[in-house]
Amino acid sequence: MEETISIKDIFKTLKKRWKLIMLLTLIAALISGSISYFLLTPVYQSSTQILVNQKQSKNQLDSTQIQSNIDMINTYSVIIKSPAILEKVIDVLELSQSVDQLSQKITITSQENSQVFSLMVQDSNPLRAVEIANAVSGTFQKEIKDIMNVDNVSILAKAELKENPTPVKPNPLMNIAIAVVIGLMAGIGLAFLLEYMDNTIKDEKDIETILDLPLLGAIQKISKVHNKG
């Protein structure tokens, strides 16, 4: 019985404060949308694919060499973001950023047991993201021959500028959805807080609950009678 009454009280509170809940939810969505669309700088992403594969003199696959190439990807991921590569890219593209700033824009990803890894670059300018991705991969392919004394890097796919590039972040719809959930939770929480702090007596049930005494009688509200004439 107590659980049923408790559930009824919950729905009663939500029904009573629904305007407040909806208002906070709407405000949160509007704030999130405004920030996502007007304040946050859009970031674009471009990527290249690089193959690590030692050139073989015979037309046969060497499993040991393949595994060695796969293991080298971890080393290459470090080298490709090192000053030895990025300083040359900065000079070629005449970038105003430092090696550390450029390194933060670069992400290296690879699949398990694959000789191919991806180089992804994020930048506020979609064209610059493409240029940096191609410059880094090209410089890496050229410089790795002297750095590691090997010739096992090939570029499978260069970065290309799409006709209508779409930013990878921010994601306005996702941000608004998250804001709606947060606003809804905040509204519900505030509604229950206000209800908890409201200790005014509104009806006979409140008197019985507060005093823990049975109600013997009540005075009905008498409406005023207006005499005509």
Side-chain angles (χ1 to χ4, degrees):
M1 183 66 180
E2 291 181 358
E3 183 179 356
T4 304
I5 295 175
S6 178
I7 293 175
K8 287 182 178 179
D9 289 341
I10 290 174
F11 283 104
K12 181 180 178 181
T13 300
L14 294 178
K15 183 178 180 180
K16 178 181 177 181
R17 308 282 184 179
W18 72 270
K19 291 183 178 180
L20 173 65
I21 296 172
M22 291 298 102
L23 179 61
L24 288 180
T25 303
L26 180 60
I27 291 175
L30 290 175
I31 293 175
S32 176
S34 299
I35 294 174
S36 298
Y37 282 106
F38 302 110
L39 296 181
L40 296 180
T41 303
V43 176
Y44 300 86
Q45 179 173 287
S46 189
S47 63
T48 65
Q49 286 186 323
I50 300 174
L51 171 66
V52 180
N53 184 29
Q54 184 69 41
K55 296 179 180 178
Q56 303 290 333
S57 58
K58 298 180 181 179
N59 294 327
Q60 60 182 7
L61 294 177
D62 187 344
S63 59
T64 304
Q65 186 63 54
I66 291 176
Q67 186 59 47
S68 176
N69 291 330
I70 294 173
D71 295 339
M72 287 297 294
I73 290 179
N74 292 329
T75 302
Y76 287 172
S77 299
V78 177
I79 295 175
I80 206 168
K81 298 176 69 174
S82 68
I85 304 298
L86 298 187
E87 283 180 353
K88 291 181 172 58
V89 172
I90 292 174
D91 291 339
V92 170
L93 297 181
E94 298 181 351
L95 301 176
S96 59
Q97 50 205 298
S98 65
V99 170
D100 289 337
Q101 291 173 330
L102 180 58
S103 177
Q104 291 175 3
K105 295 183 176 182
I106 301 173
T107 304
I108 307 297
T109 60
S110 62
Q111 295 182 351
E112 188 176 358
N113 296 325
S114 174
Q115 294 178 258
V116 178
F117 67 92
S118 298
L119 183 152
M120 293 178 290
V121 176
Q122 293 186 351
D123 194 273
S124 58
N125 187 315
L127 176 59
R128 189 164 57 223
V130 171
E131 292 175 344
I132 292 175
N134 287 330
V136 172
S137 58
T139 303
F140 171 71
Q141 182 188 27
K142 178 181 177 182
E143 296 297 326
I144 198 63
K145 298 176 184 179
D146 296 329
I147 296 174
M148 296 290 293
N149 196 26
V150 292
D151 186 11
N152 63 346
V153 173
S154 303
I155 299 176
L156 288 182
K158 291 185 176 182
E160 296 181 355
L161 181 63
K162 297 180 181 179
E163 185 175 351
N164 295 310
T166 303
V168 293
K169 58 183 180 181
N171 188 336
L173 295 180
M174 178 63 70
N175 292 344
I176 291 174
I178 294 174
V180 166
V181 174
I182 294 176
L184 188 62
M185 294 175 62
I188 293 174
L190 182 59
F192 283 108
L193 178 62
L194 293 175
E195 192 68 19
Y196 175 77
M197 295 177 64
D198 186 4
N199 55 5
T200 58
I201 298 176
K202 303 178 183 62
D203 52 31
E204 297 86 351
K205 288 185 178 181
D206 290 342
I207 297 176
E208 290 182 346
T209 302
I210 296 173
L211 299 179
D212 194 20
L213 294 173
L215 186 66
L216 299 179
I219 301 176
Q220 299 294 330
K221 183 178 180 180
I222 302 175
S223 59
K224 294 181 180 180
V225 179
H226 298 280
N227 296 325
K228 296 182 178 180

